[in-house]
Amino acid sequence: MTDYRKLAGASMKSIVDWFGCLDAAAECIAARWDGRANKATVSKKLSGLLDWTIADVIALEDARGAFPVTRLLARRLNEREQAVAGSLLADGGEIAKECGEAIAAILAAHHSSSADDIARACAELREAMEPQRRALCRLEAMLTDRRAHHGVEVPE
């Protein structure tokens, strides 16, 4: 599953780096929203001690003219739409197939001295992970839908 907090944090760090210093980024946020911001707060957000606000993201992305966090959030919606559209049964079948191929490739690499066999095993493992990610995304979307429709707390 994609770790959106890490990706957003990395994107925000890149934007702040573009400003050249924490003071400049803080001033940008303050100027955009007629408020207060300081380099200590920006530093805490960069370190992960505080979360970035939507206002921070908008101010810094607009000033930079690049929108990596906004695009990341849009990609999140696309992943969810794809997850809801598919079939868990098909995912299960593909997981079984790809994992079987990965196991066979791992065994071949274990008994081989060829770098090609090791590279093939790595490729098979990567292929086996994709349907698992897709199924996990689909299941998490289903869990979110159940929480929303039933208004009850479903354990994570």
Side-chain angles (χ1 to χ4, degrees):
M1 186 79 204
T2 305
D3 188 340
Y4 291 101
R5 278 186 77 187
K6 284 184 180 178
L7 289 173
S11 296
M12 292 304 290
K13 182 184 180 332
S14 174
I15 291 173
V16 170
D17 287 348
W18 176 82
F19 279 90
C21 68
L22 301 180
D23 283 321
E27 286 299 319
C28 175
I29 294 167
R32 173 66 186 261
W33 304 114
D34 296 325
R36 293 184 186 167
N38 61 55
K39 71 179 185 179
T41 303
V42 172
S43 176
K44 288 178 183 176
K45 290 177 180 188
L46 286 172
S47 72
L49 293 173
L50 294 175
D51 288 328
W52 293 98
T53 66
I54 294 170
D56 297 335
V57 172
I58 292 170
L60 296 177
E61 280 188 341
D62 283 354
R64 172 68 175 93
F67 307 92
V69 177
T70 300
R71 285 192 177 92
L72 178 67
L73 294 174
R75 188 174 87 198
R76 182 175 153 257
L77 287 176
N78 290 337
E79 286 176 3
R80 178 166 166 69
E81 289 170 3
Q82 290 173 356
V84 172
S87 160
L88 278 174
L89 188 59
D91 290 340
E94 189 174 355
I95 289 168
K97 173 189 169 284
E98 294 296 342
C99 286
E101 291 174 359
I103 291 167
I106 289 168
L107 293 173
H110 175 73
H111 295 292
S112 172
S113 59
S114 168
D116 288 343
D117 288 335
I118 295 169
R120 189 172 303 111
C122 291
E124 290 294 344
L125 279 170
R126 279 189 212 92
E127 286 180 26
M129 287 184 217
E130 187 52 38
Q132 292 175 51
R133 282 190 202 102
R134 196 171 44 248
L136 179 60
C137 188
R138 191 177 328 282
L139 288 166
E140 287 175 341
M142 290 169 62
L143 186 60
T144 301
D145 288 347
R146 292 217 173 120
R147 285 182 178 150
H149 285 50
H150 299 291
V152 294
E153 196 62 31
V154 178
E156 293 186 18

